Amino acid sequence: MLGLSPLRPSWLRACTTAGSVSHLAPGSLFAARVFSSSIAAREDVPPGSNLPDHIKEKVGKNLHLLPHHPLNLIRQRIYKYFHSVNASKSARLTSSGKGNYAFFDDLSPYVAVKRNFDDLLFPADHVGRSPSDTYYASGLPLLENGRPDTQHIPTSSASVLRTHTTAHQAEVLEKGHRAYIVTGDVYRRDEIDASHYPVFHQMDGACVFEGEELIQLGKMHGIEVKEGDRESARKAVEVDLKKTLEGLASFLFEPVALAKAKARKEKKQRGSKKGKNTPVTTISSTTTQSGNGGRDNKNEKEADLTDVEGDRMEMRWLDEQFPFTHPSWELEIMFNGKWMEVLGCGVIRQEILDNIVSKQEGVSMEMRPLGWAFGLGLERLAMILYSIPDIRLFWTNDSRFIKQFEYDADKEEVDSEDRIIQFQPYSKYPSCYKDVSFWLPPSGRFHENDFYEVVRGVAGQLVEEVECIDTFIHPKTGKESKCFRINFRDMSRSLTNEEVDEHQAEIRRQIVEKLDVELR
């Protein structure tokens, strides 16, 4: 999604590639309801797992709950927005209050395949189910040599480290909650670069309306919804989704855009001679409200956010596809002169709600519930809002990082999560590049993510990027080889040639042992 372009919003990556306790002030109008079902990290992983040690040790770290951590600041700010939504929508809430947003921050990341994929209507052959892309805690079939078979998709009885927080949708709805936000760490086997990491943090939310609530929701948005009028009810849900999430995007980005715009404008005024100022295009105050998000209707005009005081941020809705929502969209905003993806969302598929809510409450076909859901990645938002250049920084113990986000309530005039912070990079230490070439195994059992896992397991945070720089097929034997370039760079010190050579030698040894490749 600084190359931020490779880091897409979490929902989009979950569905299109192979591969978080409220700290609002006590006594606030709508106090957060937080529920816990944490379990300790599993030390003894049974046979049939592809969980490496460097992933197991990340479970339970909960960066999104650490004081002063930028992921926690983003989480708190989003929660603050949804508390305000609770208040503004109080007129349509039922007397039981079950429409208020509940907040879940520490649900266990270990979930059943049924919850992570089946309940959300992922096809049986969906690439996201593959062990080459997902961490299985149990259930992988074994090869003759006793190693996990990463080429075949396990059955629904297996368990995984969740690949998205949407995995808790059925669980939360079954408990009777009709509006909720779930935040937590999610896990995916992935490539290695400045914007990808096998553990990141996602926020997922949903809002479900039942019976008379659909009629009241229509009134809120100027849409007449009569009992049994499913088309109008769906339109009301769609409008509620877009207005709510447009409000979230504005809440997150407009203060930062205004601050950056003001700084750029002042810099131009100081540095430009009279009569030679660069023309300024103000951002449009019109926010798309219709459901027409087709990519052929994109407004490609870029805006220079140098004078947006009093205007709303320009946004657009683009059609998307997710297994668990229809219709589905991604929301983009114009930020720093470019269109940028913020989140994925959609109307929850009726089949999902019928399987959970309708059966649970025995409602009639005409009064079946309708709802919407969304998902976003916290790292993506933090990297953009705070100008953090490398995703590894979120895991650093270097005090120079976290001190930039520390908060002194006695000295600040705004809440911790409302501050506009621009990360100031400290010294960038030199890179050290090493190449490794090998012939792929004759069995064809090779996936690049398996190679990345070996590299991460050996060198961890010392590797900044891994890139496949060459693929060769021998003209006579038909054997295929690949060459990968590994970029070693520590964020806090210079690496020595000796330690890089040691890591490189261990990587070469392990890929032969674990991946059955032949070194060149």
Side-chain angles (χ1 to χ4, degrees), residues 168-225:
H168 299 287
Q169 183 180 88
E171 172 188 357
V172 175
L173 291 176
E174 286 169 358
K175 291 180 179 179
H177 302 288
R178 296 296 175 259
Y180 69 85
I181 306 292
V182 173
T183 311
D185 43 344
V186 298
Y187 300 78
R188 297 182 201 153
R189 305 178 88 214
D190 213 337
E191 58 195 281
I192 301 177
D193 59 32
S195 60
H196 291 85
Y197 202 78
V199 189
F200 59 103
H201 297 75
Q202 186 182 18
M203 181 176 289
D204 191 271
C207 192
V208 175
F209 308 88
E210 304 170 82
E212 290 295 322
E213 284 188 332
L214 289 167
I215 296 175
Q216 294 301 317
L217 185 69
K219 290 180 179 180
M220 282 181 57
H221 299 303
I223 300 172
E224 183 179 6
V225 178

Side-chain angles (χ1 to χ4, degrees), residues 346-357:
V347 177
I348 301 173
R349 285 190 178 271
Q350 194 65 53
E351 181 180 345
I352 292 176
L353 293 179
D354 287 348
N355 288 338
I356 301 170
V357 181

Side-chain angles (χ1 to χ4, degrees), residues 76 105 131 144 159 257 316 358 386 388 425 457 487:
Q76 290 183 64
D105 286 318
E144 291 182 0
S159 62
R316 65 184 181 187
S358 298
Y386 301 140
I388 297 173
N487 178 14

